Amino acid sequence: MILSSLWPHQCFLCGAAHEASAALCPRCWSALPPPARPACPRCGEASPLAGECRCCRQLEPVFDETVAAFAYRYPVDVLVRRLKYGGALQLAPLLASGLSQALAGREMPDLLVAMPLSPRRWRRRGYNQAHEIARRVAVHCGRPLEPALERLRDTPAQAGLTAVRRRDNLIGAFRCRSPVAGLRVALVDDVMTSGATLDAAARALKAAGACRVSAWVVARTPAPEF
Ligand SMILES: [Zn+2]
Ligand SMILES: [Zn+2]
C-alpha cells in the first residue's frame, strides 16, 4: 500500500515502477528509436544529403514538410498500435510529448488539424487517436486545434498498389469544412507510411486555400514506393 503510493507508476513496456507520471520509465523512454537522419525535409524519409528524396521529386506530395518524432520500429510500433486499436489512451500524452519535443525550434503554424477518421470507424473505435495526440500538441504549441477536415470514406486497402494508384484511390476522401485560406496548417497523425493519406488530406486543405501544410507525425516508416 505504502509502496504503491510512493511508486505509483508502472512502465508500460518493461513494468518497472517509476516516479514520473509518464507511461514509460525514463530508460524505455530514452531508448525509443529516433527518426531517420538525415531526412528528406518534405516526407521525412532517409535522404543521404538531407535534400528532397527521389520519390518526392517524382510524385510531388502537396504537404510542404514532415516532422516525425520516432521511427516506426519496435517498440514505437507497439505503443502506436496499442493506442490505436487497444484503447490504451494513457499512451496519448507520452506520444504527444515525443512529437512536441521534435518540434523544438520549428516555426509554429496558425492552427493544427488532426487526421480525421471516417464516421463509421470513429463510431466503432469511440475515439480518434490522432485527435488525442493533436489536442495535447496544440496545448504545447499554444495554437488552436480545429476540426477542419472531414473524412468522407475509409481508405481502401492500399497494400500492393503503385504510388499513383494509391493516390487515385484517395481522391475525394477528404473535405475541408473550415476557412483555412492563407493559413499555415499542421496536420497531425500517428503514423506516416506511404504518405498517400496525408497527401490526400493536405490536398483538401490546399484546395481550400491553406498556404502551407506540415505533416506532424509520431512515427515514420520507410516508404520505398512513395
Ligand atoms: Zn521501462
Ligand atoms: Zn521525400
Side-chain angles (χ1 to χ4, degrees), residues 39-47 51-57 61 63 66 220 226:
C40 166
R42 188 178 289 267
C43 74
E45 183 55 68
S47 177
E52 197 152 280
C53 70
R54 187 175 53 85
C55 300
C56 283
R57 286 200 305 271
F63 47 79
T66 295
R220 175 74 169 102
F226 187 74

Side-chain angles (χ1 to χ4, degrees), residues 24 28 41 49 154 167 179 193 204 207 210 213 218:
L24 295 190
C28 287
L49 299 171
D154 288 328
R167 183 184 288 183
T193 49
V213 178
V218 168

Side-chain angles (χ1 to χ4, degrees), residues 5-179:
S5 64
L6 280 174
W7 301 97
H9 301 290
Q10 260 203 323
C11 175
F12 190 86
L13 287 172
C14 73
H18 62 102
E19 268 181 293
S21 64
L24 295 190
C25 73
R27 209 162 67 102
C28 287
W29 170 249
S30 61
L32 295 181
R37 291 276 186 273
C40 166
R42 188 178 289 267
C43 74
E45 183 55 68
S47 177
L49 299 171
E52 197 152 280
C53 70
R54 187 175 53 85
C55 300
C56 283
R57 286 200 305 271
Q58 279 176 0
L59 286 156
E60 299 178 344
V62 301
F63 47 79
D64 298 279
E65 63 162 2
T66 295
V67 179
F70 305 108
Y72 191 64
R73 287 193 284 124
Y74 180 82
V76 170
D77 55 348
V78 173
L79 300 175
V80 167
R81 282 200 299 265
R82 288 296 299 276
L83 169 63
K84 195 167 183 166
Y85 305 115
L89 285 164
Q90 74 271 32
L91 296 174
L94 181 98
L95 298 176
S97 130
L99 183 49
S100 300
Q101 285 181 20
L103 296 168
R106 301 243 172 201
E107 195 188 330
M108 286 298 128
D110 298 301
L111 63 109
L112 282 74
V113 175
M115 177 65 81
L117 293 178
S118 69
R120 191 172 67 94
R121 204 161 278 177
W122 193 91
R123 274 196 303 274
R124 200 185 311 157
R125 199 171 296 169
Y127 60 94
N128 174 359
Q129 74 284 350
H131 177 84
E132 293 303 314
I133 293 162
R135 68 186 176 91
R136 293 173 166 94
V137 176
V139 170
H140 172 85
C141 299
R143 295 292 192 274
L145 173 66
E146 300 282 348
L149 277 181
E150 188 177 5
R151 192 162 190 155
L152 303 174
R153 53 184 170 81
D154 288 328
T155 308
Q158 300 276 72
L161 296 181
T162 64
V164 173
R165 281 295 307 281
R166 219 176 259 155
R167 183 184 288 183
D168 291 350
N169 238 356
L170 287 160
I171 288 172
F174 295 93
R175 181 166 61 199
C176 183
R177 57 185 180 189
S178 300

